Every structure is written in C-alpha cells, then in structure tokens.
Amino acid sequence: MAARVKEVGKNPTGQARTRLARQAVIGAARTLFVERGYQAATIEAISELSDVPSATVYRLFVSKLGILKAVLDVSIAGDDRTASVAQRPEVAAVLAETDLTTLLTAFTELVVSINKRTNDVYRVLSNAAASDTGAAALFTNYQQQRAEGQRNFARRIADTRGLRPGLRERDVADLIHALMSPELYGLLVADRGWTPERYQRWLTQAITHQLTAP
C-alpha cells in the first residue's frame, strides 16, 4: 500500500497524493473489514496497513463509518470516480436496449458484476448493521438506492414488448429484487460454491423465464 502512495512521479500534485492516499486506505480497510469484521478493524490498524497517517485518514474520511461507505461505493462502482452507478454509460447502454431478451441479458451481466465486486463488503455491512446504528443507517440507505435503481430497470422492462401477459411493473420489480439480490448471490456463490459465471447463466435463464412471454 505504501508504495502506491509514494509512486506518483517525483513531484505528485496534492490532488494526486490525496487520491492515492484514499485508494490506499480503502484497499487496506477492505482487507481488514473482511478479515476481522467492521468492529474489530480499527482506524489505527487501517492507518498502519495503508501507511497513511491516522490524522490523514480522519481528514479524508472523518470516521470509520466514512471509510466503510467509501469501500462500499468503490466496490459498487468498480472505481473511485465520483459518478454514481446510475450515471455510468454502461447503465445507460443497458437501459437503451429495445429487445427484451437482450435487455435482460445485459442487465443480468451488470448486476452480477456488481454483486461479484461487493459480496464480501456487503456481508461486512450487513453484519455491522446488526449492532452499529451508523452502519444500520448506511445499510438502509444502500437498500433504498438499490431499490430505486431496480425500479428504473423495472419501468424500462415493463415498457418493452414481449413481457409475460398480466405482469405489472410492480411484479417485475419484485422479481428483480428477489432474483438479483446480493443475498441470493452470496447464498449460491459464496455459500454453495457456484462460480459467478454459473450464477450468471442461471440468473439470465431464470429472469428471462419469469418475465418473458412463453
């Protein structure tokens, strides 16, 4: 981690140093959160592993909860750019699909890629939420954001020709919520040993079967 903070040319800008420090802290925190759990991973331990002074860690993230939020945000997005997932071009490309089968396949691929990146962090947050009020609030906020994103996709899917007769937008949202949940991903991939590729194939078949007309 330390090398990453120090290796940005001979005279890195303040902005570059800050970004590298953030990346080092986020990487170290993720490792410690997963290995030790949220409660046991202290800011001092994160500072030591990342080789970023504790004072800098506090300045960048304010608190351990701020670090956890940053770890989750980066895991969901796949990088540390400020644009949210909903603002990413890959999401817009999926929503722009007009063929229902193609739309569902692309949507499934997107969801699996996010679940693959976030599974271990999601479990850390879920466990922490049971005993920490700040983590519980963060977990609730994450659930709300996920539900909003799913509603956007449900609305788009419901507007596409080929949907199974009788399904309403709410039905589509319910099926997406259940089949594409991080809990189900964790159950099959982390607990039952499925590969992400196997899960993606199964999920594509399952969601297509449930939503498209026979």
Side-chain angles (χ1 to χ4, degrees):
M1 295 291 182
R4 294 180 61 194
V5 179
K6 298 173 182 176
E7 290 179 359
V8 188
K10 295 181 179 180
N11 298 295
T13 65
Q15 185 177 12
R17 287 195 299 270
T18 296
R19 184 177 185 186
L20 282 173
R22 284 183 58 86
Q23 290 174 341
V25 171
I26 289 170
R30 179 174 189 143
T31 297
L32 293 175
F33 287 155
V34 172
E35 289 181 351
R36 304 181 184 180
Y38 176 70
Q39 298 293 352
T42 64
I43 286 185
E44 289 71 24
I46 294 170
S47 169
E48 181 178 357
L49 184 60
S50 64
D51 199 30
V52 175
S54 294
T56 302
V57 176
Y58 278 108
R59 178 175 60 82
L60 293 175
F61 299 95
V62 180
S63 65
K64 189 166 69 170
L65 183 65
I67 300 175
L68 179 59
K69 181 181 184 303
V71 172
L72 183 64
D73 288 344
V74 169
S75 299
I76 293 171
D79 56 51
D80 61 353
R81 289 182 292 161
T82 56
S84 67
V85 172
Q87 298 171 322
R88 299 298 176 100
E90 55 267 30
V91 174
V94 176
L95 289 170
E97 292 288 353
T98 56
D99 176 73
L100 181 55
T101 300
T102 305
L103 170 60
L104 293 176
T105 300
F107 182 32
T108 300
E109 182 178 355
L110 176 66
V111 169
V112 172
S113 68
I114 293 174
N115 282 336
K116 185 177 180 180
R117 292 193 300 266
T118 60
N119 178 63
D120 54 357
V121 180
Y122 179 82
R123 289 192 166 196
V124 168
L125 176 59
S126 178
N127 290 334
S131 58
D132 185 278
T133 55
L138 179 60
F139 185 67
T140 298
N141 181 258
Y142 168 73
Q143 297 283 53
Q144 291 171 343
Q145 290 182 14
R146 183 163 65 93
E148 178 59 28
Q150 289 174 342
R151 282 194 293 270
N152 290 337
F153 276 99
R155 190 175 304 117
R156 179 70 188 90
I157 291 168
D159 289 339
T160 305
R161 299 178 66 179
L163 195 67
R164 183 181 292 273
L167 284 182
R168 302 166 300 170
E169 183 180 316
R170 173 59 187 271
D171 300 322
V172 176
D174 289 345
L175 288 167
I176 289 173
H177 182 75
L179 292 174
M180 296 188 167
S181 68
E183 289 84 2
L184 184 56
Y185 178 91
L187 177 67
L188 293 176
V189 176
D191 296 346
R192 303 300 299 175
W194 285 26
T195 64
E197 293 73 23
R198 180 185 176 187
Y199 173 75
Q200 183 173 324
R201 289 193 300 270
W202 171 84
L203 181 59
T204 302
Q205 293 171 353
I207 198 72
T208 301
H209 174 74
Q210 289 295 323
L211 296 181
T212 59

